[in-house]
Amino acid sequence: TYRELDEKSSQLAHRLVGVGVGLGDIVGLLLPRSADAVVAILAVLKTGAAYLPIDVHHPEQRVAFVLADASPVAVVTTAEHVARIASHSVVVVDMAEPAIETGPVRVLPTPYTRNLAYVIYTSGTTGVPKGV
């Protein structure tokens, strides 16, 4: 339901704030296309940070490039994909962490409407991915 979506995204947003995510930061989302991805997008936006979608089907080299180039403060993922980012110095938040489900559902302060919402990487005209 919409209520469940709001509550789950608020719980994840509180977890992200708890690991240091704040206004203007970038949070990577290494998630398959799913309801969890929608929850994660909303959670990041609720923190005032921007989300960085990372396709789970991209090769390791591209994932590594995007992580190095964008420098997210955290990456939200699942246990299935956590090994792909283990060698990067970034905070990892697993969608299945028990702390998320028991976290608060209270509303966070409304972020500024002028904040960056997301960063997406294109193939680039030179063949090198470029964040826009």
Side-chain angles (χ1 to χ4, degrees):
T1 66
Y2 286 112
R3 172 181 264 160
E4 290 170 320
L5 175 61
D6 183 47
E7 289 176 354
K8 287 180 181 289
S9 62
S10 290
Q11 288 171 318
L12 179 56
H14 282 282
R15 176 72 177 115
L16 291 171
V17 168
V19 298
V21 173
L23 293 173
D25 287 334
I26 296 175
V27 177
L29 303 180
L30 182 61
L31 297 166
R33 293 177 187 195
S34 63
D36 279 347
V38 175
V39 168
I41 290 169
L42 290 174
V44 172
L45 294 174
K46 286 180 177 188
T47 69
Y51 68 92
L52 169 68
I54 304 169
D55 193 324
V56 296
H57 300 294
H58 280 162
E60 298 302 323
Q61 186 177 28
R62 181 173 173 113
V63 171
F65 175 85
V66 168
L67 290 173
D69 192 59
S71 299
V73 297
V75 174
V76 178
T77 191
T78 60
E80 178 182 358
H81 300 289
V82 75
R84 297 186 69 190
I85 53 176
S87 64
H88 301 277
S89 58
V90 64
V91 174
V92 176
V93 176
D94 185 335
M95 288 289 297
E97 287 180 19
I100 295 170
E101 287 185 30
T102 60
V105 295
R106 70 181 179 280
V107 177
L108 292 164
T110 304
Y112 302 110
T113 57
R114 292 185 181 185
N115 286 6
L116 187 64
Y118 67 94
V119 176
I120 192 161
Y121 275 74
T122 67
S123 60
T125 57
T126 63
V128 177
K130 179 172 67 174
V132 294

